[in-house]
Amino acid sequence: IQENSSARIYNSYGSTESGHIAIYEITNKNETGAWIRPPVTLQIVDDNDQPLPAMSVGHIRYKRPGMATSYYNNPEATAQYFRDGFFYPGDLAYLDHAGRLVLQGRSNEVINLGGVKINPERIDAIALTQIGIKDCAVFAHLNEAGVEELAIALVVDEGFDKESFEKAMSKDSPYPIRRAIIVKEIPRNENGKILRNLLAKG
């Protein structure tokens, strides 16, 4: 789009429950986060719902006038996602020093290895840029000593070279991958979400 027009392109963050929350211009390469749109009140909180300082990754919660406050005929989901007047979308992020929202993945996707919380989607994205990788998924794997390590399942084509892949990932991945396995396909549910628990069992 940028090559064929002078259009300005924006990425928007929000939800059906509360509408538009934040926006940033992706044609501006200096923009690393999204500006929160008033009258939204957005906070990044820890597991105990305590607000976190700038640059600290935690759970997003937000509220705005006129947003939904419950799900119809679903008290369980309402209790999970609507609390204390806030909507909890299930996303992880941090606020930078300028107050911009920087997304870090889904909270239910986080892998906890020895107290270190890892966003597997971020590593998936890095692996997908490597030559010969058609699809992939990071998951937690128990090694022979019973210690959880980071592993990755790969769907590859004829361009894949294991040594080159491992070298690239050791340089680019923020966390070391201890095991790589080749599979025919990555298990997903009907919505396309990766079933990482099946990979861990398997």
Side-chain angles (χ1 to χ4, degrees):
I1 295 173
Q2 290 174 312
E3 290 176 356
N4 293 285
S5 73
S6 58
R8 298 172 67 182
I9 307 168
Y10 292 86
N11 198 356
S12 175
Y13 174 75
S15 63
T16 303
E17 293 82 357
S18 56
H20 176 63
I21 299 299
I23 191 169
Y24 75 98
E25 185 180 350
I26 61 176
T27 45
N28 182 355
K29 295 182 179 180
N30 293 323
E31 288 284 339
T32 57
W35 292 105
I36 299 163
R37 309 296 289 180
V40 175
T41 298
L42 184 147
Q43 296 177 341
I44 305 299
V45 297
D46 63 18
D47 292 339
N48 297 313
D49 291 338
Q50 296 302 305
L52 293 169
M55 307 306 293
S56 299
V57 175
H59 305 279
I60 297 176
R61 71 175 185 180
Y62 49 76
K63 59 183 177 180
R64 66 182 305 166
M67 77 173 193
T69 57
S70 66
Y71 290 116
Y72 175 71
N73 203 27
N74 193 338
E76 293 83 7
T78 296
Q80 180 179 357
Y81 294 105
F82 293 92
R83 302 195 298 275
D84 301 322
F86 287 90
F87 175 61
Y88 290 71
D91 295 319
L92 295 173
Y94 65 85
L95 294 174
D96 67 13
H97 292 298
R100 293 174 297 193
L101 179 69
V102 183
L103 297 173
Q104 295 291 293
R106 297 285 293 171
S107 57
N108 60 4
E109 286 282 289
V110 168
I111 296 173
N112 193 332
L113 290 183
V116 178
K117 294 182 179 180
I118 297 170
N119 175 10
E121 295 173 322
R122 181 182 176 191
I123 304 175
D124 290 347
I126 294 171
L128 283 171
T129 66
Q130 308 305 321
I131 296 173
I133 305 300
K134 297 171 64 177
D135 200 2
C136 67
V138 169
F139 61 98
H141 163 73
L142 280 177
N143 65 17
E144 293 79 2
V147 177
E148 275 196 322
E149 296 180 335
L150 208 58
I152 188 168
L154 304 170
V155 179
V156 303
D157 62 23
E158 62 278 359
F160 176 72
D161 179 78
K162 185 178 180 181
E163 184 176 346
S164 297
F165 173 79
E166 290 177 346
K167 184 180 296 185
M169 292 303 291
S170 66
K171 180 172 69 76
D172 297 336
S173 175
Y175 302 98
I177 295 174
R178 303 301 185 188
R179 182 186 183 207
I181 61 170
I182 308 298
V183 298
K184 291 184 178 179
E185 64 178 2
I186 301 298
R188 287 181 165 84
N189 64 15
E190 62 275 9
N191 296 318
K193 180 181 176 182
I194 295 172
L195 300 175
R196 299 184 197 271
N197 59 321
L198 293 184
L199 291 167
K201 291 177 182 178

